[in-house]
Amino acid sequence: MITAIVLIQAAAESIPDAAQAIADIEGVTEVYSCAGDVDLIALVKVARHEDLADLVPGHISKVPGVLNTDTHISFRSYSKHDSEAAFSIGLDAV
């Protein structure tokens, strides 16, 4: 599974509608509106790089109000949950 973070600049008046339209696209798992350099952040999970190559320019970029996208592909995931699970392996047997 390939995870990507798509940073999206959108026209201010279309942020809520664009966010919902992006959230409805298959492969998009979450969309956040935010403050800062970008207006929306979409988390994407796809099976293949080719799927990502189709999804961003073919779907996300074509949503009305989307002005620009910047896609970042993740290599590895780190989280508190993963760390706790790794360190607790085998503790039940003691």
Side-chain angles (χ1 to χ4, degrees):
M1 184 66 58
I2 297 163
T3 301
I5 298 94
V6 183
L7 308 176
I8 303 162
Q9 292 177 332
E13 66 278 1
S14 29
I15 290 173
D17 292 333
Q20 188 58 60
I22 293 166
D24 291 340
I25 296 171
E26 186 175 343
V28 176
T29 60
E30 300 171 68
V31 177
Y32 298 93
S33 62
C34 54
D37 294 337
V38 297
D39 303 301
L40 300 169
I41 297 175
L43 299 181
V44 173
K45 291 188 183 281
V46 293
R48 304 172 312 133
H49 288 282
E50 292 82 4
D51 298 331
L52 185 61
D54 291 336
L55 186 122
V56 176
H59 297 283
I60 292 176
S61 292
K62 291 185 177 178
V63 168
V66 170
L67 304 174
N68 190 35
T69 63
D70 183 15
T71 304
H72 299 260
I73 299 172
S74 86
F75 294 127
R76 188 173 290 139
S77 172
Y78 300 91
S79 74
K80 182 177 179 182
H81 174 74
D82 292 341
S83 298
E84 288 174 356
F87 285 107
S88 67
I89 294 174
L91 291 179
D92 295 335
V94 178

